[in-house]
Amino acid sequence: MKAETTVIRAILAGTALVAAAGTAAAQEVNLYTSREPGLVEPLLQAFTESTGIAVNTVFLKDGLVERLASEGESSPADVLMAVDVGNLVDLVERDLTQPVESEVLSAAIPENLRDPGNEWFALSMRARVVYAANDVEIDSITYEDLADPEWKGRICIRSGQHPYNTALFSAFMAHHDAAETEAWLTGLKDNLARKAGGGDRDGAKDILGGICDIAIANSYYVGLMRSGRGGDEQKAWGEAIKVILPTFEDGGTHVNVSGAAVAKNAPNRDQAVQLLEFLVSDEAQKIYGEANYEYPVKPGAAIDPIIASIGELKVDPVPLTEIVTNRKQASELVDRVGFDN
C-alpha cells in the first residue's frame, strides 16, 4: 500500500471507481483531489443533484502527480483538483492535463487566475492578509511596509518555506528584482517577534498572548476562527484581531488559489468539463465560501459575511503563472537570509 492515505468514496450510492479508461459509465466522472473531503463533498453532491452525473472521488493527501504519472494512459482520472497554484502548474509541466476551451470558464474566471493555455482553472481564492491586534493603530499596510524597522520585534509568521509564504515571496519578486526581494526578506526577518514557525492561526493566538502585534496569514482562517468552528479558544483568537488586506505598492492583494484541470487521458472528458463549469456557477461559488470561507473567483459571486467584513478584495493583477516561475529563486532567498533560523 502506498505511503499516502487514499480514501475512495462514491458520492452517488452504487457507483464505483473504474479501474481503467474506457470502461466508465456514460454519466459519471472520476475526480482525484488533494482537498479535504469535508470541503469537496458539498460541491460534488450539489453537482450530482444538478446534473445526475455521479462523482467517484479519490482523496489523496499528497502524491497526486506521482499517482497520475504511475497510472499513465490507463488512468481513470477525469478531473484533477488541488490547492496552491504551484501544484496546478506542476500537473501541466508533467504533461498530465489537457486544454479546455469553454466560454463558461473563460467568462467566470479572470484571465490572471487561469492557465494561458486553458489547462488549469482557479476555482476559489485565499488572500495573504495581515492580522493586527485590535489596539494597534493601523488600517492599511503594503507588503513592502512589513520590512520597515517600525515593526521590529512585532511580527509573527509561519516558516518562510511554507508554500503560503513562498507564494507570497514569489509574488513580491514579480514586483521587485531579486536584490530588492532579498533585502525585503532580511528586513522582514529582522522584524520577527519570534522564530518563524507554527501555523497561520498561531499568529492570531500569539497576538492575543502579547507576543506580536501583527501576523501574516491567510484570510480563510479568520472565518474558521470567528465562526467558532474551531472551538471557543480559536474564536477568542479571531476576536482579538482586526484584519487588513495589504497590497503591493504598485498592485493589489496577493492571492493563492484552489483549482482544477482535466486529466490528459480523461475517459469522461465531457462530464469533466461539465464539473469544472458547475464549479464556477453561482451555486458552487457560494458553497466554496460556506465550506471553507474562501473567496469566489467569479466576480459578483456571494462572499461569506465574515470574509466580506474584512473589506473589498482587490486582487493583484500579476498572472499566477508569472508568480510561479519565481518559486525556486524565492525559496533559495529564504535560505540565504536564514529566514527560518
Side-chain angles (χ1 to χ4, degrees), residues 127-131 140-144 146 216-217 243-248 251-254 313-314:
R128 204 73 180 139
V129 301
V130 166
Y131 300 167
S140 65
I141 194 170
T142 67
Y143 294 110
E144 289 85 354
L146 295 170
I216 303 165
V243 185
I244 300 164
L245 290 166
T247 61
F248 290 105
T253 299
H254 169 65
L313 174 66
K314 297 180 179 179

Side-chain angles (χ1 to χ4, degrees), residues 35-252:
R35 301 223 68 182
E36 293 290 333
L39 306 180
V40 174
E41 288 174 343
L43 291 159
L44 304 183
Q45 290 166 357
F47 171 71
T48 296
E49 291 171 3
S50 175
T51 65
I53 299 172
V55 184
N56 309 310
T57 310
V58 176
F59 291 105
L60 297 161
K61 185 176 181 181
D62 46 38
L64 177 59
V65 168
E66 292 76 15
R67 171 73 174 263
L68 286 162
S70 68
E71 290 177 346
E73 293 183 1
S74 65
S75 175
D78 293 309
V79 175
L80 315 172
M81 185 183 293
V83 177
D84 186 85
V85 64
N87 292 325
L88 296 167
V89 170
D90 288 344
L91 290 167
V92 176
E93 291 181 346
R94 290 290 296 271
D95 194 27
L96 297 170
T97 61
Q98 61 174 287
V100 173
E101 299 298 330
S102 164
E103 292 182 3
V104 172
L105 295 172
S106 296
I109 306 170
E111 188 174 1
N112 62 317
L113 300 178
R114 47 188 164 89
D115 178 63
N118 294 318
E119 298 217 17
W120 60 260
F121 301 87
L123 300 173
S124 64
M125 302 182 293
R126 63 277 305 279
R128 204 73 180 139
V129 301
V130 166
Y131 300 167
N134 288 323
D135 60 356
V136 173
E137 295 184 4
I138 177 176
D139 54 17
S140 65
I141 194 170
T142 67
Y143 294 110
E144 289 85 354
D145 289 340
L146 295 170
D148 192 304
E150 172 190 358
W151 299 106
K152 189 172 181 62
R154 303 174 68 188
I155 299 178
C156 287
I157 192 172
R158 71 193 308 161
S159 167
Q161 290 293 5
H162 190 280
Y164 294 167
N165 284 332
T166 54
L168 172 61
F169 303 159
S170 298
F172 194 94
M173 291 187 69
H175 291 270
H176 303 275
D177 62 28
E180 291 172 325
T181 303
E182 182 174 353
W184 177 75
L185 282 171
T186 299
L188 176 57
K189 179 183 184 298
D190 289 344
N191 286 345
L192 298 185
R194 56 159 170 77
K195 180 179 177 180
D200 280 5
R201 277 176 277 202
D202 288 316
K205 176 184 177 182
D206 289 346
I207 287 173
L208 178 61
I211 295 172
C212 44
D213 289 331
I214 65 173
I216 303 165
N218 274 355
S219 53
Y220 69 93
Y221 288 113
V222 179
L224 294 173
M225 291 186 292
R226 290 182 177 173
S227 67
R229 190 178 294 183
D232 290 341
E233 184 180 27
Q234 290 190 20
K235 188 172 184 180
W237 302 346
E239 292 173 348
I241 60 172
K242 53 187 173 183
V243 185
I244 300 164
L245 290 166
T247 61
F248 290 105
E249 289 177 351
D250 60 346

Side-chain angles (χ1 to χ4, degrees), residues 245-320:
L245 290 166
T247 61
F248 290 105
E249 289 177 351
D250 60 346
T253 299
H254 169 65
V255 299
N256 207 329
V257 299
S258 73
V262 174
K264 181 178 181 179
N265 300 299
N268 303 295
R269 187 184 189 281
D270 290 346
Q271 288 78 17
V273 174
Q274 279 185 265
L275 177 56
L276 262 61
E277 291 179 342
F278 174 80
L279 292 174
V280 297
S281 68
D282 288 341
E283 178 184 1
Q285 291 285 285
K286 184 173 184 290
I287 293 172
Y288 269 112
E290 293 172 344
N292 200 42
Y293 302 99
E294 294 175 299
Y295 284 99
V297 294
K298 184 178 183 180
I303 302 174
D304 182 87
I306 294 176
I307 300 304
S309 69
I310 295 172
E312 182 183 359
L313 174 66
K314 297 180 179 179
V315 176
D316 190 53
V318 174
L320 295 180

